[in-house]
Amino acid sequence: MSQLDRILSSIFSDINSAKAQADMTSREIANRYISDDILQYFPIPRVGIENLEVELKYVIEYVEEKVENTSQSQQRLADFVQKFSISTAQELRKAISNEAKSNELYQELEGYPDQNWEINIAEMLSGNLKSIDLSSPTVQNTISKSFQSIQTEIKEVVPRANLVGSFASVPTLKGTYSLISLDEKGQTEFKLKDEFANERTAITEAKALIDQISKSQLKVSESKSTGNVNTAKLISGRKQLDIIAKADPANKSNAKNLFDSSIAKKAEAVKNAPIANSWVLGKKISPQEARNTNTAAQEKPDETLFNISKSLLNQKSIDFQNGIRNILDQSKITTLKVAVDAEKLSKAKPDSILTLKFNLSAKDFAMISDSDAPSNF
């Protein structure tokens, strides 16, 4: 405690000085006693302290807490950030993996994410969090900004499907995209056999298929069943697309009827799509826009995996802030400014005056004699 430590140090110094002066006086008396024919036979007067009781009254003028950004606190921060980053990356991988296994849109991602993904995410987390300055008064604000940045980066490294009408562009483990047809319950009906190099190409194909369906120009040809697999071709003009679907043993319909039924339902859904109204959209639209809305294939990104990651990161950010608070508490230096002078004590409220009492015994005062042996006084 600042101030109080200097006061106590001064008290101990004064006691030592007083003892030293007493010993000097004893030395002078001893010399006179030795040179006196009679006094030399008398014991030399010498003062010793057996016990000393000190009572100090003081008032606290103010208390100040300051975080010291020492090498020790920085090491604690580095260790905490490393452990936090590794554990968070593990939790993110597990959460995404579990969702990908159960979600119809991400069946092509079996085994995702892998160990390498987890390591890279841990490094990304650590890179965003290790530069936090513990002594900064805005440390909590810095943490919030760091986690916002982390969420932005996570969004770029988490796959997403894209819904286009009753079709979906879905990512695969190879980095390509499959195009699947969904029924009214969101289950896969069939998928195009060929995959697409990027998301945009798959979405463009989905829009083209919906346009063909709306014009009743998409036909099913060369359908057949082989074991547990149904295959066929979608024909629109000169264009042909190979499609494939799992055969349902409980459904006795042939492959062509199943594919025809799927296309017919899609055509009916497009035909009966509600026409947009101004009062629905909240803006004035022309009759042409209303008609276009009827058949337009609107893109709708599926953010399921990112939202799971975002939710987990929001929870983990609370854990991180609590961990930083613990480190800050360990790094704080508390300073008290105290007053012991009579004037300030007289002006202080009685209940604000504190008393410090302590006792010192002879054992607490060790001196060195002429023979270099310690002696108490």
Side-chain angles (χ1 to χ4, degrees):
M1 292 185 293
S2 181
Q3 302 292 321
L4 189 57
D5 60 347
R6 291 198 290 271
I7 292 170
L8 293 175
S9 177
S10 177
I11 291 174
F12 295 146
S13 178
D14 288 347
I15 292 173
N16 287 331
S17 296
K19 181 61 174 65
Q21 291 179 22
D23 286 346
M24 292 297 294
T25 300
S26 295
R27 179 177 178 275
E28 293 174 1
I29 294 174
N31 288 332
R32 291 201 299 270
Y33 271 43
I34 292 172
S35 62
D36 189 279
D37 293 338
I38 298 176
L39 290 176
Q40 63 180 318
Y41 297 105
F42 286 76
I44 299 171
R46 186 169 182 268
V47 176
I49 300 177
E50 187 66 30
N51 288 291
L52 179 66
E53 182 177 309
V54 179
E55 181 175 308
L56 177 66
K57 293 187 180 298
Y58 65 95
V59 291
I60 298 176
E61 293 189 306
Y62 70 80
V63 179
E64 180 183 38
E65 285 189 335
K66 183 179 180 182
V67 175
E68 285 199 346
N69 200 1
T70 63
S71 58
Q72 186 179 21
S73 62
Q74 283 300 314
Q75 186 59 52
R76 283 198 292 263
L77 174 63
D79 292 342
F80 173 67
V81 167
Q82 182 181 19
K83 292 179 181 178
F84 176 86
S85 299
I86 291 174
S87 65
T88 300
Q90 290 174 344
E91 292 183 44
L92 283 169
R93 179 187 176 190
K94 183 178 180 180
I96 291 173
S97 177
N98 289 340
E99 178 62 27
K101 290 177 183 177
S102 61
N103 193 309
E104 186 74 17
L105 296 176
Y106 300 98
Q107 296 296 312
E108 303 280 342
L109 291 177
E110 184 177 354
Y112 179 87
D114 61 10
Q115 183 68 34
N116 188 58
W117 184 93
E118 180 183 312
I119 293 173
N120 290 333
I121 293 299
E123 291 178 354
M124 182 269 287
L125 290 167
S126 177
N128 276 278
L129 298 173
K130 67 182 180 181
S131 59
I132 290 174
D133 183 2
L134 293 175
S135 61
S136 171
T138 60
V139 61
Q140 294 300 329
N141 188 43
T142 302
I143 292 174
S144 297
K145 289 183 177 179
S146 295
F147 272 89
Q148 290 175 5
S149 176
I150 289 169
Q151 289 189 7
T152 300
E153 292 191 45
I154 286 289
K155 190 171 186 177
E156 298 300 319
V157 297
V158 173
R160 69 177 187 183
N162 212 312
L163 301 174
V164 187
S166 59
F167 289 90
S169 166
V170 298
T172 73
L173 202 57
K174 293 181 291 185
T176 58
Y177 285 83
S178 286
L179 190 59
I180 64 175
S181 169
L182 302 173
D183 62 17
E184 62 274 9
K185 296 180 180 180
Q187 299 298 306
T188 301
E189 293 178 308
F190 61 83
K191 75 172 184 176
L192 272 65
K193 186 176 181 180
D194 292 334
E195 296 176 354
F196 299 85
N198 55 67
E199 183 183 48
R200 182 47 48 191
T201 306
I203 292 173
T204 300
E205 187 63 63
K207 289 183 176 181
L209 288 172
I210 292 176
D211 183 62
Q212 293 298 305
I213 290 172
S214 67
K215 297 175 182 178
S216 299
Q217 295 178 354
L218 193 64
K219 306 297 181 183
V220 177
S221 175
E222 299 182 27
S223 57
K224 62 181 178 179
S225 295
T226 305
N228 295 324
V229 176
N230 293 332
T231 61
K233 291 182 182 295
L234 293 180
I235 300 176
S236 176
R238 296 180 180 179
K239 189 173 183 179
Q240 295 187 12
L241 297 171
D242 292 323
I243 59 175
I244 186 171
K246 290 182 180 180
D248 183 2
N251 193 332
K252 302 303 181 180
S253 301
N254 60 43
K256 187 175 189 313
N257 288 340
L258 292 174
F259 288 126
D260 282 340
S261 174
S262 175
I263 299 300
K265 288 180 180 179
K266 292 181 185 300
E268 188 69 18
V270 171
K271 180 180 178 182
N272 295 327
I275 297 176
N277 291 293
S278 298
W279 58 269
V280 175
L281 299 178
K283 67 175 183 178
K284 185 177 181 179
I285 59 175
S286 66
Q288 181 61 41
E289 287 177 318
R291 285 193 296 273
N292 290 340
T293 306
N294 189 36
T295 58
Q298 303 296 325
E299 297 178 37
K300 182 182 179 183
D302 179 81
E303 304 287 4
T304 301
L305 298 186
F306 169 66
N307 288 335
I308 287 175
S309 304
K310 183 178 179 180
S311 177
L312 179 59
L313 285 171
N314 287 337
Q315 296 174 24
K316 297 295 291 185
S317 69
I318 298 175
D319 295 339
F320 187 82
Q321 291 182 49
N322 290 335
I324 292 298
R325 288 193 190 97
N326 290 334
I327 295 175
L328 290 173
D329 289 341
Q330 296 175 45
S331 306
K332 282 181 180 178
I333 300 298
T334 303
T335 302
L336 302 180
K337 182 176 181 181
V338 301
V340 296
D341 55 285
E343 181 180 356
K344 290 186 178 180
L345 288 173
S346 65
K347 294 179 181 179
K349 296 180 180 179
D351 57 357
S352 66
I353 299 176
L354 304 173
T355 301
L356 177 65
K357 291 183 180 181
F358 57 90
N359 293 305
L360 300 172
S361 65
K363 293 186 296 182
D364 298 312
F365 297 92
M367 293 298 186
I368 302 300
S369 67
D370 291 340
S371 63
D372 291 336
S375 61
N376 294 331
F377 70 92

